[in-house]
Structures are given as C-alpha cells and as structure tokens.
Amino acid sequence: MSKATVDKIHYSDAENRGALIAVKAHLITGFLVFLLMMLGGAVMRAAQGALMPSVGADLFYQIMTVHGVGVVGTSAIASTGILWYFLRQYVQLSTKIFWLNFFIFLTGVVIILGSIFLGGYAGAWTFLYPLPGISLGVWSTGAAAGFLIGLLLIGTGFLILYLDWGRAILSRYGSFGQALGLPQLFGKEPLNPYHPTTVVVGTMVLIVDFLGIAAGAVALVIMLINLYNPEFKPDALLVKNLIYFFGHVIINAAMYASVSAVYELLPQYTGRPYKTSKVFYAAWFAIVFMVMAVYPHHLYMDFPLPKWIMIVGQVLSYGSGIPLMVVTGYGALMLVYRSGIQWNTSAKLLILSMFGWAAGGIPAVLDSMITFNKVLHNTLWVPGHFHFYLLLGLLPMILGFTLYLFNIPQEKEPPLVEKLGFYSYAGGALLLSLVFLNSGSNGIPRRWAVHLDEWIPYAQLGAVAAVLVVFGFLLFTVRVLIVLPKAAEPVPAAVH
C-alpha cells in the first residue's frame, strides 16, 4: 500500500485553528443567506396564494432573481467549505486563498444585491441573452451590468481557489488521473482501498467546476460587451449553451462537493471504513464527463440545436444518477447496516441526504425525457425537482457536517431544538417539493407572479410547507450561531 495515499497532512495548531475559523465563516454565512433565501421563497408562495398583501410584479421578480442566484451561490460557497475542510487533510491547501475567495464572493454578493434591489434588475439568475439588455425600462443598463459583473467576480474567486486545489493535488499525486485512482481502475497499479475518497471527489469537482465557471465567464464577458455595444450581437444559442453548461455544472458540483461529508463522517459514526474500489473509481470517472454532457436536456425547445446533442443529453441524463448512487447511496446503507450506529442528528441528516439525492433525481430524469419535457419543463415541476434535490439532498449534508463541527458526543441525546428542527425541516421540505411537483403535473406554469384562482390552493399549501421549512432551518441556524463559533476541532472517532 502506498504510504502517500494514507498519510494525512500535518499542520500546526495555529494553522488548524485558522482553517477552522475560515470554514466556520463559510458555514455561518451559508446558514444566514440560506435562511434569507427561504424567507424570500415563502413570501413568493404566499403572494401567489393570496395569503398576504399584493407583492408587485417588479418586486416579485426581483425576489425570484435573488432567490435563485442566492441559493446557487450559497450552495457553492457552503459546499466548498465542506470539501476544503476534508481535502486539506490530504493535500497542502492555502488558507489565505480560501479567505480570498470568500471575500471576493462577498464583494460579488453586495454588487448583485445592489443591482437587484437598488437598480431593479429582475431577469432571473440564468441571465439569458438578450434579456438583461432589453428590460423595456424596468431596469437600467448599469443594473444589468452590475448583476453580470457580480457573477463574474464570484466566478473569478472560485477559479483562483481551484488553481490552488490543482496545485496542491498535483504536488502530492503527480497527476489528476492518479488522484482519481485511474491507474488502479485500469490495473496499472494494485488496488489501494484506502485511497482517500475526498481526493477523488475534490479532483472531480475541480475539473468540472473550473470548466463550468470558465464557460460562464465567457458568456458574461460577451453579454457585458453587448450591453455597452449593442452592435456586437453574439449568437444567442451559443450563449445559452454556455450559460446552461455553467449553471448545470455549478449546482451539481455543489452536491458532489458536499457528499465528501458522507464519505468522511459515516465511517466515524459507524466505526467502519469506507473502502474505495474499482467500481468507486469508475463511477467518479464517469461522472466527470456525465455532469458536463447532460446539460442539453435544458435546451430541448431550442430546435436549431443539432439533434445529436439533444440525444446525448437525454441518454446521459437517464444514467447520470446511477454511478454515484450505486457507490454512495448503496455504500452508505452498507456502512450503516448492523453497525450499531448512534443516531445523532448529524447521522440522520446524512442519511436523509441520500434519500433526497436519490428520490429527487427521479423527477429530474422524467423532465429530461423529451416527451415529458415538452409539457413539464415550463411548469412548477422543475422547481419541484430542484427543491427536492437541494432541500432534501444538498442542505442535509451541509447541516450534518455543521453539527459534526459542534463536537457533540455521539451518545448524547440530541436536544429538543435539534429534534424539532429536523422533523419540521424534513417534513416541510418533502411537502413543499411534492406540492411543486403536483402543481407542475397539473400544468401550473413557473415564474408567474400572479396565479389564476384554480392555482391558488396549490400555492397556499406550498406556503404552509415553506413556513415549516423556514421554522426548522431557523432552529438549526440559531443553534449554529450559538454553538458553532465556540466549537473546537472535532476529534475523529476510531475507525477499525
């Protein structure tokens, strides 16, 4: 067994304390922004359900825009904090660059908020060309430019961070293929079951997110030029491909980054190691390409797109969830089975995330089928599948990791606030997702500020579910703000 793939990096106590503070800053920021975005979502559902004074269309679409971009951006920054925390145990990462990305991110957020609530920009987080430049007077060119510049700034910060990740991984493993375990997969090296899963995850996220963000940056620069030089007219379909490639990759990479918490923490909670295998390496190698190639299922209505691209998007969409759910979902269940695990709140959340990831993928795959897509894609079915993914898949991983940082003994009975928060959040998230999906199956369109009378009951039930989500997450947030700043570095349990 190669010693280099087993030993962890040793840091000084001061370096570990500094790193822990940085990770906490990412998590606390994530919790606060997630809470605000959930409140915004609840307001939109309540407004659609006529449960509150009328929210004007301009304000509704501003909230919708900040809700979308806020959730995606915060998912990225919080999941990056999780992966960075574990990855630095195996490769030498720079805490200064980690902080640099964080402050660039906050700067971009401030610019985006100003463009929306001061400048009135309300063109949705997808900023599809040429909408930012043809607002019909609803927002100014400067407001649209501010939104695009804010996104460009955030992307630049992440690209700088990923350059540091790439340097660190190459310094230790020599190549990305080695870090992904490809020599072991193809029989060029003996199988090492203790090759760090987090290194595989980190390398995959680095590759796909770097390319995705770079594509998004190209689209943003093109659109900024168009805003101030309308004679420059880029190909709309090309820009749309770049945007959806970027958008699809960045939100999926957030999920993949957070799954490192499952690989690292469940072995500690169960006392069983998570061993890598050829199936594990094959799954993660396949997903490197799948996550970048399935985005055309967002573009089925764009008929000039070459048919073969749509076919590739549909076929890969069918199978994109299989590789990781086989090794992650099944692997998690095998770790837990008859392990005598102590079901603290963190462990419950990590297992909930496996359910959310698997079940949330089913409506996503249905929507990726052309026959279904023609009738479902512009309905509330789409918010249904990604709320399922995020609320029951991604966020439970972030919550579970954060509670781990509390360093609470596993045998200690979870406090009432955690129990109440868990069931309110999980129940509300499931209900909200199902209401969205049912609304979509009944043809209710998405992105409509005002609902017809027959749609209002769905929105009202969705608003009730949203309140449960907000209440549960608020309890977790209060607990985080009280306990996390004081929490010491967790001491890993022995894994035999």
Side-chain angles (χ1 to χ4, degrees):
M1 186 187 304
S2 173
K3 188 176 178 60
T5 61
V6 178
D7 287 349
K8 292 188 177 183
I9 301 293
H10 295 287
Y11 297 91
S12 68
D13 290 342
E15 288 174 321
N16 283 330
R17 283 194 298 270
L20 189 61
I21 291 170
V23 171
K24 289 177 182 178
H26 281 67
L27 292 172
I28 290 173
T29 300
F31 270 74
L32 293 175
V33 178
F34 273 131
L35 183 60
L36 290 174
M37 295 306 101
M38 289 175 182
L39 287 169
V43 166
M44 286 191 288
R45 291 266 72 189
Q48 290 170 331
L51 293 174
M52 60 181 298
S54 177
V55 174
D58 286 356
L59 179 57
F60 181 93
Y61 291 117
Q62 289 172 20
I63 295 173
M64 187 189 77
T65 300
V66 78
H67 180 76
V69 74
V71 168
V72 172
T74 309
S75 297
I77 201 72
S79 64
T80 297
I82 296 173
L83 182 53
W84 187 88
Y85 174 87
F86 290 119
L87 186 60
R88 73 181 291 272
Q89 298 177 20
Y90 305 101
V91 298
Q92 190 87 38
L93 296 178
S94 168
T95 303
K96 290 181 180 179
I97 292 180
F98 190 50
W99 274 118
L100 176 63
N101 175 57
F102 181 71
F103 287 119
I104 292 175
F105 175 84
L106 293 183
T107 303
V109 167
V110 171
I111 294 172
I112 289 171
L113 290 175
S115 73
I116 294 173
F117 293 115
L118 297 179
Y121 179 79
W125 86 270
T126 46
F127 57 94
L128 288 178
Y129 171 81
L131 179 57
I134 53 169
S135 70
L136 301 180
V138 177
W139 60 80
S140 66
T141 298
F147 185 83
L148 300 179
I149 289 170
L151 286 177
L152 188 59
L153 201 59
I154 290 172
T156 301
F158 275 102
L159 290 178
I160 293 171
L161 179 68
Y162 289 140
L163 286 174
D164 182 56
W165 284 21
R167 172 204 55 77
I169 291 171
L170 291 175
S171 295
R172 182 147 206 204
Y173 291 94
S175 69
F176 293 140
Q178 191 78 33
L180 286 168
L182 299 188
Q184 299 176 55
L185 171 64
F186 296 115
K188 295 183 178 180
E189 290 183 3
L191 185 65
N192 173 13
Y194 298 100
H195 181 67
T197 55
T198 295
V199 171
V200 177
V201 174
T203 305
M204 174 266 168
V205 170
L206 162 66
I207 294 170
V208 302
D209 233 0
F210 192 94
L211 294 175
I213 292 172
V218 171
L220 289 165
V221 170
I222 288 173
M223 293 175 69
L224 280 167
I225 295 172
N226 170 260
L227 282 178
Y228 291 99
N229 181 17
E231 297 302 315
F232 173 74
K233 296 184 184 298
D235 182 274
L237 188 57
L238 170 62
V239 176
K240 189 172 183 180
N241 273 266
L242 291 171
I243 290 172
Y244 273 105
F245 177 74
F246 152 74
H248 186 90
V249 165
I250 193 171
I251 194 60
N252 277 272
M255 179 75 79
Y256 297 128
S258 297
V259 84
S260 58
V262 175
Y263 291 139
E264 293 281 354
L265 298 185
L266 279 184
Q268 294 189 33
Y269 293 151
T270 61
R272 295 173 172 175
Y274 192 106
K275 296 182 179 180
T276 54
S277 63
K278 287 192 175 184
V279 173
F280 178 89
Y281 296 135
W284 279 95
F285 185 49
I287 211 66
V288 168
F289 301 98
M290 284 185 169
V291 77
M292 293 191 291
V294 301
Y295 82 91
H297 67 227
H298 294 282
L299 307 174
Y300 290 148
M301 299 299 178
D302 295 280
F303 302 111
L305 199 68
K307 185 177 291 186
W308 70 267
I309 295 180
M310 296 186 183
I311 293 172
V312 168
Q314 179 164 353
V315 171
L316 291 182
S317 294
Y318 290 160
S320 61
I322 295 175
L324 287 188
M325 285 315 305
V326 167
V327 299
T328 305
Y330 179 77
L333 291 177
M334 291 301 96
L335 279 178
V336 170
Y337 181 66
R338 292 187 174 181
S339 67
I341 184 174
Q342 295 295 320
W343 285 106
N344 59 12
T345 310
S346 175
K348 291 178 183 178
L349 285 163
L350 293 176
I351 294 301
L352 175 65
S353 74
M354 293 294 95
F355 161 75
W357 196 0
I362 296 172
V365 170
L366 287 175
D367 185 54
S368 72
M369 298 169 65
I370 293 176
T371 303
F372 283 88
N373 189 275
K374 287 190 293 186
V375 293
L376 291 178
H377 196 69
N378 288 318
T379 73
L380 288 174
W381 181 274
V382 172
H385 96 67
F386 60 67
H387 278 81
F388 209 129
Y389 247 4
L390 297 180
L391 290 177
L392 291 166
L394 174 63
L395 268 173
M397 295 182 197
I398 296 172
L399 284 165
F401 170 75
T402 305
L403 294 183
Y404 161 78
L405 283 187
F406 287 173
N407 196 18
I408 298 173
Q410 290 186 44
E411 65 274 12
K412 185 175 180 180
E413 180 71 12
L416 179 61
V417 67
E418 284 187 16
K419 291 181 178 179
L420 188 57
F422 177 85
Y423 290 109
S424 176
Y425 176 83
L430 182 60
L431 178 60
L432 179 65
S433 302
L434 293 177
V435 170
F436 270 131
L437 291 171
N438 189 256
S439 300
S441 67
N442 282 280
I444 301 177
R446 57 179 171 141
R447 296 176 177 163
W448 281 35
V450 179
H451 276 204
L452 300 179
D453 290 343
E454 57 266 34
W455 302 341
I456 287 178
Y458 295 92
Q460 291 176 338
L461 183 56
V464 172
V467 169
L468 289 174
V469 173
V470 170
F471 177 68
F473 197 80
L474 177 61
L475 292 179
F476 280 122
T477 302
V478 170
R479 183 130 170 82
V480 166
L481 294 178
I482 292 173
V483 181
L484 186 57
K486 305 173 186 177
E489 182 83 20
V491 178
V495 181
H496 304 291

